[in-house]
Amino acid sequence: MAKNAWMRNGLNSWFLGMEAMQVITLRTMKLAAGGADARTEAQRMVSEKIAAGVDLQMRAMTGGLGLTADGATAKVLAHYRRKVRANRRRLGNTGG
């Protein structure tokens, strides 16, 4: 499987979906609790999504995603998995 780029991209897509589901659950719990922390999280969530999208657009426009479809897909997945993983770690901390 390691030599098949599309299989690897498919697996990374699945991992991204699982990690995103965990972040959604953690965020929902935080937002449901209400208060200042929930407001801060909601604002952070929106600004992070905008920043991640803009960063990815800049990479695409400057050739930073590579020249092949499978390579670009891998870079996009890696980009979003890094963001989602950081949020999962942050939200998973009891103080986060």
Side-chain angles (χ1 to χ4, degrees):
M1 182 185 74
K3 293 183 182 194
N4 186 328
W6 286 111
M7 283 289 277
R8 188 173 48 252
N9 285 336
L11 185 61
N12 280 326
S13 294
W14 185 83
F15 282 129
L16 175 60
M18 293 295 105
E19 292 164 345
M21 186 171 47
Q22 292 171 337
V23 170
I24 290 167
T25 300
L26 292 167
R27 266 203 173 124
T28 300
M29 292 186 318
K30 188 166 203 144
L31 295 173
D37 286 345
R39 275 190 300 280
T40 301
E41 186 61 33
Q43 291 170 346
R44 182 179 192 155
M45 174 180 65
V46 172
S47 64
E48 284 178 348
K49 288 182 185 314
I50 292 169
V54 168
D55 182 41
L56 203 54
Q57 286 177 342
M58 289 303 294
R59 288 184 193 194
M61 292 188 322
T62 59
L65 296 180
L67 300 175
T68 64
D70 58 329
T73 300
K75 288 181 181 180
V76 168
L77 288 168
H79 172 77
Y80 282 116
R81 282 194 71 194
R82 275 191 303 276
K83 306 293 184 185
V84 170
R85 195 174 306 121
N87 278 318
R88 190 185 66 194
R89 280 192 299 265
R90 180 179 57 79
L91 290 164
N93 292 333
T94 56

